[in-house]
Amino acid sequence: MNHKSMLGVIDATTYIEPLQPLTMHRSVAAVPFAGRYRLIDFVLSSMVNSGIESVAIFPKYQYRSLMDHLGSGKNWDLNRKRDGLFFFPSPDLSIPNPHVGAFAHFEQHIDYFLRSRQKYAVICNSYTVCNIDYEAVLERHIANQCDITEVRHQGRSLEMFVLETSLLLDLIANHRRTGYYSIVDVVRDHRHSLKICDYEYSGYAAVVDSIESYFRHSIELLNRDVWRQLFIKSRPIYTKVKDEPPTKYTEKAVVKNSMIANGCIIEGHVENSIIFRSVKIGKGAVIKNSIIMQKSQIGEHCHLHCVIVDKDAKVENDVSLLGTEQQPFVVRKGTVQGELINR
């Protein structure tokens, strides 16, 4: 089978209200995850590792940080003279998009699909964390002579679909007449004659669609079995490369069962936590079951439990913040959490 026969389509238009406040200044696709990645890195890397050389990203809200992260696609080997990485922002924010794969959004950039050489298309959301082989999905799709194959995991849709590009073009062209406004509408309707198949994905998969699920799926990466299922040597997860020094641990620093990225300065106690790049944790600080994002600063003698500290935020000295696994406390991007607003 020609591995170049698939076209990658990532629908990054979805707005997920339960992910506030992490999406106040960025799209869902650009939400940081696992210490050094963004959510979109996982589906994009899966496409690249599956031999897909043309990927179209359809963003809609707050996509400046997403474009800054992906750039020309160089880190995913998608900065090509032919095919490569394409951005197609929606010029009309009023277009309703209740589901992944909105045909009205694709219609606005129909030339991309018309000019594509690939026989098949893979349509995905941008907030499912997994490491999936789309070639295996395509093989099953062809073998079973399916019209549309939906990827599922433990009975739940991962909002990933494989179909022929010609069928996708037909669905886009006729969506007003048929009343199918997205690929999800087609799959859920049983009145048509199309053959809809399921592909059960057996690896690790996490759908990040709320603050609670973001926190839970982040912390479970500290489980080695989960980590090994997601980060596979033969199928690496790519991200934006940043040249930073190794993390510095002072003499009194204590780190237990945690993920620490490059460029940090750790002077306190870190346990069961994920620390992103260039984070500073002060003397006497105790960080447990928490997520501290890039370039944030945690002051001296702070106590954080079940806390998400967004990028470029600061927690001043002697502040205690307490959340729960179901309701983690969130320090918003670029803000200062001081003693006077201690929770």
Side-chain angles (χ1 to χ4, degrees):
M1 176 174 41
N2 182 4
H3 70 277
K4 297 180 181 179
S5 62
M6 286 185 285
L7 179 73
V9 178
I10 301 177
D11 187 338
T13 63
T14 309
Y15 173 76
I16 303 177
E17 187 172 354
L19 266 174
Q20 285 272 23
L22 297 182
T23 54
M24 286 187 66
H25 304 287
R26 59 170 76 92
S27 65
V28 173
V31 170
F33 191 78
R36 56 194 297 263
Y37 303 93
R38 305 292 183 111
L39 288 179
I40 198 172
D41 290 342
F42 295 88
V43 62
L44 182 57
S45 297
S46 291
M47 287 182 173
V48 170
N49 290 329
S50 300
I52 296 175
E53 298 179 349
S54 180
V55 178
I57 298 175
F58 291 83
K60 189 172 183 180
Y61 304 101
Q62 304 276 23
Y63 53 82
R64 184 198 60 79
S65 62
L66 178 63
M67 295 184 71
D68 176 69
H69 175 70
L70 296 176
S72 66
K74 179 180 179 181
N75 293 304
W76 294 264
D77 193 28
L78 289 173
N79 56 332
R80 301 167 175 268
K81 290 183 178 179
R82 188 171 188 177
D83 291 330
L85 185 67
F86 300 87
F87 280 92
F88 297 115
S90 173
D92 186 358
L93 292 178
S94 66
I95 292 178
N97 182 28
H99 299 299
V100 167
F103 297 140
H105 197 173
F106 295 162
E107 186 180 42
Q108 293 175 331
H109 305 282
I110 195 66
D111 284 351
Y112 171 76
F113 297 99
L114 292 172
R115 294 173 182 174
S116 297
R117 301 172 291 108
Q118 291 79 3
K119 183 177 180 180
Y120 297 94
V122 181
I123 301 175
C124 306
N125 68 36
S126 61
Y127 48 88
T128 295
V129 176
C130 65
N131 193 335
I132 184 171
D133 182 1
Y134 291 114
E135 286 188 292
V137 181
L138 179 60
E139 287 176 1
R140 177 78 62 80
H141 176 85
I142 295 172
N144 292 341
Q145 298 182 333
C146 306
D147 291 307
I148 301 175
T149 294
E150 179 181 25
V151 181
R152 303 181 70 86
H153 176 70
Q154 297 179 353
R156 181 178 184 178
S157 173
L158 294 184
E159 295 183 336
M160 300 177 178
F161 308 92
V162 173
L163 69 166
E164 286 198 17
T165 306
S166 59
L167 175 57
L168 176 59
L169 283 166
D170 183 66
L171 292 170
I172 294 171
N174 295 295
H175 75 275
R176 291 180 182 85
R177 179 181 60 81
T178 61
Y180 298 136
Y181 294 102
S182 71
I183 189 71
V184 176
D185 291 338
V186 180
V187 170
R188 299 291 175 264
D189 189 2
H190 302 291
R191 294 172 296 177
H192 53 64
S193 59
L194 296 174
K195 184 178 180 180
I196 310 298
C197 302
D198 291 343
Y199 178 92
E200 181 64 24
Y201 173 64
S202 59
Y204 173 81
V207 178
V208 179
D209 55 5
S210 66
I211 290 293
E212 185 274 332
S213 65
Y214 174 84
F215 181 82
R216 173 166 46 88
H217 292 311
S218 294
I219 295 299
E220 72 184 5
L221 291 178
L222 298 175
N223 181 320
R224 290 187 179 182
D225 291 337
V226 171
W227 178 269
R228 291 192 184 107
Q229 288 185 63
L230 186 59
F231 295 95
I232 304 168
K233 287 185 178 181
S234 60
R235 301 180 58 82
I237 305 298
Y238 303 101
T239 191
K240 183 178 181 179
V241 175
K242 295 184 179 180
D243 296 322
E244 291 171 315
T247 287
K248 177 181 178 181
Y249 301 90
T250 62
E251 185 177 349
K252 294 185 177 181
V254 176
V255 177
K256 298 180 180 179
N257 191 40
S258 295
M259 185 189 308
I260 313 288
N262 292 344
C264 298
I265 299 176
I266 310 295
E267 298 182 281
H269 181 111
V270 179
E271 186 173 340
N272 297 326
S273 296
I274 296 176
I275 311 299
F276 282 68
R277 294 162 164 155
S278 300
V279 167
K280 186 179 187 303
I281 296 178
K283 298 176 183 177
V286 178
I287 315 297
K288 292 186 178 181
N289 303 307
S290 295
I291 301 163
I292 316 297
M293 294 191 196
Q294 185 175 338
K295 296 183 180 178
S296 291
Q297 299 180 45
I298 311 300
E300 298 181 359
H301 306 291
C302 291
H303 286 75
L304 276 63
H305 180 78
C306 291
V307 175
I308 300 172
V309 179
D310 205 343
K311 183 179 177 182
D312 294 320
K314 181 178 181 181
V315 179
E316 295 186 336
N317 296 342
D318 302 305
V319 171
S320 294
L321 302 175
L322 177 62
T324 65
E325 293 181 2
Q326 291 71 35
Q327 290 187 309
F329 186 90
V330 180
V331 180
R332 297 188 177 189
K333 180 179 179 181
T335 62
V336 177
Q337 190 78 22
E339 189 172 6
L340 292 178
I341 49 177
N342 187 3
R343 179 178 176 180

